[in-house]
């Protein structure tokens, strides 16, 4: 019988729609289960998916359909020898001017309200509000990087993401260290301000989702937007619940517990960005087959 063993080939896609490390993990898990996929890596830092696939051309449509079904957009990048040329190998066709404007709106909502919530956290003496503010800022920075990096090479996207990852990690550590200090001092936060700004944060997440939904195609994409907002809203809801417990118990521990949980999740996301950015830099420095 003739030898029909397929040779693994590299497929590379730019992924649009990811705003957290769990998104990348979900895509990677789904694609890894497909027939013929030997390895899969999805980077939240550069928004790139790199696959080693047996019979790449035959499998490409199934891979693309799987990721589209999860609610994300894919643009395939052709393999070229030079990373600076790779950025122009394929345009991101679905990123229209109106979609860019929508993304800018989401960036402004996330970063703007994140800064407002940080100030509110100091006024209300609430660690949970400060930690939730970092989640807003982090989401906004990821979207901002995605906007800026649409035409950038992989190396430059990875370098930018690495700086962002270290910056976010420092912010997260700052909140956790300050929370540890508060455990010793135990200044009781202002429950009313905590609840108010936690509720406003929930509204801000819903508004951001409404801005993006018209630019998503199909039911799966709409579900994806709401899933992102739902995950963020859980943190907002936790702040509101903590405010109620602070008011009821007249103690600071509910605020501190929520701050530690949100801060820990934030540090996990920052580490995912740093890890992926380092891997992207290694990949960018490796000569690519023509």
């Amino acid at each position: 019988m003739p030898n029909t063993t397929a040779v693994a080939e590299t497929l590379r896609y730019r992924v649009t729609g990811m705003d957290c490390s769990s998104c990348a993990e979900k895509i990677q898990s789904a694609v890894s289960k497909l027939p013929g996929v030997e390895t899969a890596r999805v980077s939240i830092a550069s928004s790139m998916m790199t696959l080693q696939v047996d019979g790449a051309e035959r499998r490409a449509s199934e891979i693309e359909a799987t990721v589209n079904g999860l609610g994300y957009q894919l643009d395939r990048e052709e393999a070229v020898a030079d990373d600076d040329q790779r950025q122009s190998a394929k345009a991101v066709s679905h990123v229209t001017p109106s979609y860019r404007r929508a993304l800018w709106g989401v960036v402004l909502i996330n970063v703007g309200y994140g800064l407002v919530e940080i100030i509110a956290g100091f006024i209300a003496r609430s660690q949970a509000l400060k930690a939730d503010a970092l989640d807003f800022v982090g989401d906004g920075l990821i979207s901002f990087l995605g906007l800026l990096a649409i035409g950038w090479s992989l190396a430059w996207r990875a370098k930018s993401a690495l700086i962002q990852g270290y910056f976010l990690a420092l912010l997260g550590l700052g909140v956790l260290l300050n929370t540890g200090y508060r455990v010793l001092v135990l200044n009781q936060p202002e429950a009313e301000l905590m609840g108010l700004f936690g509720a406003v944060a929930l509204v801000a997440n819903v508004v951001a989702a409404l801005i993006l939904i018209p630019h998503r195609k199909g039911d799966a994409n709409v579900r994806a937007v709401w899933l992102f907002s739902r995950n963020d809203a859980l943190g907002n809801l936790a702040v509101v619940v903590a405010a109620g417990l602070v008011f009821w118990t007249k103690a600071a521990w509910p605020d501190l517990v929520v701050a530690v949980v949100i801060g820990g999740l934030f540090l996990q996301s920052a580490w995912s960005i740093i890890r992926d950015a380092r891997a992207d830099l290694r990949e960018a420095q490796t000569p690519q087959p023509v």
Side-chain angles (χ1 to χ4, degrees), residues 123-287:
I123 295 174
R125 295 175 296 172
S126 169
Q127 295 305 110
L129 277 179
K130 295 175 187 175
D132 191 49
L134 291 187
D135 185 49
F136 271 91
V137 173
D139 287 350
L141 287 179
I142 289 175
S143 298
F144 180 65
L145 180 64
L147 270 170
L148 291 182
I150 285 174
W152 290 3
S153 67
L154 176 60
W156 279 108
R157 292 201 301 273
K159 290 174 184 176
S160 300
L162 193 59
I163 294 172
Q164 174 186 293
Y166 285 130
F167 174 68
L168 296 180
L170 286 174
L171 290 179
L173 283 173
V175 167
L176 289 183
L177 290 174
N178 197 249
T179 300
Y181 172 74
R182 295 293 181 186
V183 169
L184 300 176
V185 177
L186 285 182
N187 287 332
Q188 183 175 329
E190 298 289 340
E192 294 83 358
L193 284 177
M194 277 183 65
L196 172 63
F197 281 97
V200 174
L202 184 60
V203 173
N205 272 318
V206 173
V207 171
L210 291 174
I211 290 174
L212 283 178
I213 278 183
H215 301 278
R216 303 285 175 154
K217 298 178 180 178
D219 293 340
N221 288 283
V222 172
R223 285 198 301 272
V225 175
W226 283 113
L227 285 174
F228 301 153
S229 299
R230 183 196 66 183
N231 293 339
D232 290 337
L234 289 176
N236 308 145
L237 186 60
V239 173
V240 175
V241 171
L245 290 174
V246 167
F247 182 80
W248 181 45
T249 63
K250 306 300 180 184
W253 65 263
D255 176 61
L256 301 176
V257 169
V258 170
V260 169
V261 171
I262 296 177
L265 293 174
F266 187 83
L267 281 179
Q268 183 183 29
S269 297
W271 168 244
S272 296
I273 293 173
I274 294 170
R275 179 197 61 204
D276 287 351
R278 286 176 171 174
D280 289 333
L281 278 174
R282 289 194 297 270
E283 181 178 335
Q285 293 165 359
T286 302

Side-chain angles (χ1 to χ4, degrees), residues 17 61 74 91 141:
S61 59
L74 287 181
L141 287 179

Side-chain angles (χ1 to χ4, degrees), residues 29-48:
S29 175
V31 173
S32 297
K33 298 174 184 177
L34 295 177
V37 177
E38 293 188 356
T39 62
R41 188 177 75 84
V42 181
S43 169
I44 187 63
S46 61
S47 299
M48 294 300 301

